[in-house]
Amino acid sequence: MKTGMRNALTYIVFVAPAVLFFIAFILFPLIRAIIYSFQDWDGIASQASWVGWGNYKRLLDDTDFGKSLAFTFKYVAVTAVLFNLSGFLLALALNMALKSRNLLRTGFFLPHVVGSVIIGFIWQFIIVQLFGEIGKATGIALFQKNWLSMPDMSFWSIVIVAVWHSAGYFMVIYLAALQGVPRDLLEASEIDGASRMRRLWSVTLPLIRPAMTVCFFLAISSSFKAFDLNFSLTRGGPFGSTESLALQIYSDAFVKNLFTYGAAKAVIFFLVLAGITLVQVGVMKRKEVEM
Amino acid sequence: MKQERYGIGKFSLEISMIVLALLFLFPLYITVVSGFKTYNEIMASAWAFPKSFNFDNYRTVWHQINIPGAFLNSLIITVTAVSAILLFSSAAAYQLVRRPGVVSNIIFFGILSAMVLPFQTLMIPLVKVAKELMLIDSLYGLIIIYCGFGVPLALFLYHGFIKSVPRELEEAAQIDGSGTFGVYFRILLPLMKPITSTIAILHTLWIWNDFLLPLITLTSAKNKTIPLASSIYFGEYNNEWGLAMAALSYAIIPMVVFFLLMQKYIIEGITTGAVKG
């Protein structure tokens, strides 16, 4: 029996730290977030009162929440397509036998290693100062306005910056996938007379479906959680038009002290994200081709 | 296999890609260069190359927001948290794989499910928990919290890797008299180097650049990390662009250097992490 005890003890020593971290910082906060969402508490008072579904009912009539939800959905839809398109096109170009392709890969990936809050501030300077100057020098109307003061252009500003920041990341994943496409298949289809476009459409694309599933999942979940650029580039403005859900939950909880109301939003936030990604992965997995 | 011809088509593609790449890198370039310009120079033209390499902005920012201190904070947090995550998750993954059973399964899938939880769902109660555990506004507190959020992905990647390691090696070591600890440190850790470097890279990029968690848990100036400290010049009505750009440059340069040095591992790590995760 002695070795049994010792074995159990070793198991505990190896596994316990990871489990404790998980319980303390993920499981326990999750349970508390759910409890908070049924309470009313400002973060300061010693007692919280129960309000049942009150917070959730309030969400239904909250136009700011509706606006933020709409922004987030629109942003996720646009960026999921553009991240993948830009990353895939870059990968396609840099998978060809170009002389400078290694250097180019480095260059396109480089923006991604800089944190996105920093990126947002850099682009604030570029959009406010540089674009204004382009407008003055060239007379192009688009550059004569301050993009960050117009709801529509603010949205596209964040999209452009996010695509610029993420294209290299998706390029790297697609490059790995393209290199995994067997050459003999491509050559065989070439011999059969398939054009370049035809080969791309009928051989390459079906074979990189698994990478597409992964990339769409990554794009959707990261865009849904978007916080940094909305915080640093547009501050959610103008008039709250670029306030992502993540930013709204942050400002509800830590600026306006609406702890429990923010918690209800946070729970809905999780459920919506989980729902979307489950459907996305489920649908795209079914279209993957087994080799 | 026939050699692809480098014709006019490839050449024009190459030229356009180079132009596009330069355009891509322009924002980073303009940031570092603007740090050398005075207020008047930037107002006169944000495009123009600085008249002289004037280090005034860089010097002012260095002292004003204590760049060495912030850099050290970021370094301590990143290195300690990443090492702890690697140690705890590899140890746990080792036993979870080698001692399968109901308990191991519950633990593995429980922790795995955390990967779908967005941080924003947990952050409100997290601040409360951190206060109760006395982890608020301290470097070690932040390190401990990062362990909580870093373990799931790391555990998952280690778990997958260890399953592919043949047991015979460990059994041979056990016959030679090694205990579980000996096998883990002498056999498994060296074998796991590739996946360890993947996990280390992914977590280093995440923790060094992370903004939201430090924002809600660190309050005093002496604890600020590089992303927090360098964003200080972006107040509501600020237009001290020269100082702001110098501060951002201090945040950009370490990551760019780190990337250029570790490029091969970073690209590999990103690919493995994305495909397996």
Side-chain angles (χ1 to χ4, degrees):
Chain A
M1 247 359 263
K2 219 166 163 210
T3 47
M5 276 285 283
R6 257 199 41 209
N7 275 341
L9 202 65
T10 339
Y11 184 82
I12 291 171
V13 170
F14 273 77
V15 175
V19 172
L20 285 179
F21 280 120
F22 167 73
I23 292 174
F25 301 113
I26 295 175
L27 189 61
F28 191 51
L30 176 64
I31 294 168
R32 270 174 93 165
I34 297 171
I35 293 174
Y36 279 166
S37 73
F38 293 105
Q39 289 180 326
D40 184 20
W41 182 58
D42 57 7
I44 300 153
S46 58
Q47 275 299 315
S49 56
W50 291 90
V51 293
W53 293 94
N55 287 321
Y56 290 100
K57 282 191 188 126
R58 206 174 129 196
L59 278 177
L60 294 175
D61 314 311
D62 184 339
T63 48
D64 283 344
F65 181 68
K67 242 170 95 178
S68 176
L69 201 62
F71 165 83
T72 309
F73 276 132
K74 188 174 157 200
Y75 179 73
V76 168
V78 171
T79 51
V81 172
L82 291 182
F83 284 177
N84 280 281
L85 197 64
S86 59
F88 180 67
L89 290 178
L90 283 179
L92 217 48
L94 298 186
N95 197 35
M96 296 197 210
L98 300 182
K99 292 190 191 317
S100 55
R101 69 173 176 186
N102 287 334
L103 215 57
L104 286 170
R105 286 175 188 177
T106 307
F108 285 115
F109 186 77
L110 196 59
H112 190 73
V113 299
V114 179
S116 40
V117 168
I118 304 297
I119 294 298
F121 287 132
I122 293 176
W123 277 85
Q124 197 182 318
F125 173 70
I126 293 176
I127 290 172
V128 173
Q129 292 291 319
L130 282 168
F131 282 12
E133 265 178 55
I134 298 179
K136 258 185 230 153
T138 61
I140 301 173
L142 186 61
F143 289 111
Q144 283 174 331
K145 304 171 195 138
N146 179 1
W147 288 15
L148 300 183
S149 65
M150 298 180 292
D152 221 31
M153 289 315 290
S154 274
F155 175 81
W156 288 104
S157 301
I158 299 188
V159 169
I160 291 169
V161 176
V163 170
W164 170 77
H165 192 224
S166 303
Y169 175 72
F170 288 92
M171 170 193 79
V172 163
I173 303 174
Y174 277 121
L175 264 173
L178 287 176
Q179 280 153 9
V181 175
R183 295 209 75 116
D184 46 344
L185 276 181
L186 288 170
E187 279 167 22
S189 62
E190 197 180 350
I191 292 164
D192 289 346
S195 68
R196 190 181 281 269
M197 279 311 282
R198 183 79 205 170
R199 269 176 282 152
L200 177 66
W201 190 255
S202 307
V203 182
T204 308
L205 278 182
L207 287 176
I208 62 162
R209 281 268 166 73
M212 286 171 73
T213 307
V214 170
C215 284
F216 269 94
F217 170 78
L218 289 170
I220 290 173
S221 63
S222 76
S223 288
F224 197 80
K225 292 186 266 188
F227 172 86
D228 292 4
L229 287 178
N230 309 67
F231 179 89
S232 63
L233 181 62
T234 63
R235 283 171 222 286
F239 323 116
S241 60
T242 59
E243 192 176 49
S244 63
L245 284 176
L247 181 59
Q248 192 169 72
I249 294 170
Y250 163 82
S251 61
D252 274 2
F254 301 111
V255 182
K256 300 176 189 159
N257 279 331
L258 299 169
F259 256 62
T260 45
Y261 188 48
K265 280 185 187 171
V267 170
I268 295 293
F269 179 70
F270 163 59
L271 293 176
V272 174
L273 173 63
I276 296 176
T277 46
L278 269 177
V279 169
Q280 178 257 325
V281 172
V283 168
M284 290 188 72
K285 268 252 184 275
R286 243 183 289 152
K287 296 202 171 146
E288 285 177 13
V289 184
E290 286 293 333
M291 270 295 280
Chain B
M1 149 101 232
K2 79 173 175 168
Q3 192 63 43
E4 279 183 79
R5 212 164 53 86
Y6 190 85
I8 187 81
K10 285 248 169 66
F11 179 72
S12 35
L13 179 70
E14 177 130 31
I15 297 298
S16 3
M17 291 311 280
I18 290 173
V19 172
L20 189 62
L22 291 177
L23 214 62
F24 240 69
L25 294 176
F26 181 76
L28 301 182
Y29 156 84
I30 198 83
T31 308
V32 177
V33 163
S34 300
F36 290 106
K37 292 162 136 184
T38 63
Y39 177 78
N40 289 331
E41 263 182 279
I42 291 180
M43 284 301 148
S45 167
W47 287 96
F49 201 73
K51 290 193 189 75
S52 65
F53 278 98
N54 181 342
F55 278 90
D56 282 355
N57 291 329
Y58 282 101
R59 209 172 293 129
T60 313
V61 169
W62 182 271
H63 296 294
Q64 226 166 44
I65 59 176
N66 188 11
I67 290 293
F71 186 82
L72 205 62
N73 288 342
S74 277
L75 198 66
I76 292 171
I77 291 170
T78 308
V79 170
T80 321
V82 170
S83 318
I85 290 169
L86 292 174
L87 179 71
F88 294 139
S89 44
S90 63
Y94 166 46
Q95 287 297 299
L96 291 179
V97 173
R98 291 302 182 230
R99 303 245 196 115
V102 182
V103 182
S104 290
N105 269 340
I106 292 176
I107 294 175
F108 179 62
F109 286 108
I111 296 184
L112 197 64
S113 64
M115 282 171 34
V116 300
L117 274 175
F119 173 73
Q120 286 85 1
T121 297
L122 306 175
M123 71 181 172
I124 298 173
L126 181 73
V127 171
K128 189 95 198 316
V129 171
K131 270 185 195 141
E132 286 161 0
L133 297 174
M134 315 278 273
L135 300 174
I136 216 88
D137 198 22
S138 78
L139 297 189
Y140 76 86
L142 190 57
I143 290 167
I144 291 173
I145 300 176
Y146 273 127
C147 288
F149 286 97
V151 159
L153 176 64
L155 180 83
F156 172 67
L157 291 172
Y158 271 127
H159 197 274
F161 188 86
I162 294 172
K163 270 199 291 197
S164 69
V165 174
R167 273 191 103 117
E168 285 74 20
L169 277 170
E170 293 158 42
E171 278 159 7
Q174 268 158 356
I175 290 164
D176 290 345
S178 287
T180 312
F181 282 90
V183 171
Y184 169 70
F185 282 108
R186 279 197 294 272
I187 310 288
L188 218 52
L189 273 190
L191 276 176
M192 292 191 300
K193 259 187 201 143
I195 197 70
T196 299
S197 98
T198 294
I199 299 169
I201 293 283
L202 290 176
H203 284 79
T204 302
L205 289 175
W206 159 53
I207 294 177
W208 183 280
N209 286 328
D210 189 32
F211 184 76
L212 187 48
L213 183 57
L215 179 70
I216 58 179
T217 56
L218 299 179
T219 45
S220 46
K222 69 170 177 19
N223 285 334
K224 288 217 156 102
T225 58
I226 282 277
L228 277 185
S230 56
S231 55
I232 224 159
Y233 291 97
F234 287 85
E236 203 66 58
Y237 300 106
N238 165 73
N239 55 4
E240 280 289 349
W241 291 114
L243 292 177
M245 291 297 118
L248 295 183
S249 301
Y250 281 124
I252 296 174
I253 293 164
M255 279 327 266
V256 170
V257 172
F258 173 72
F259 172 63
L260 293 179
L261 291 177
M262 308 282 292
Q263 194 176 351
K264 196 177 134 245
Y265 300 98
I266 292 180
I267 299 288
E268 259 176 37
I270 298 262
T271 323
T272 331
V275 174
K276 302 247 169 74

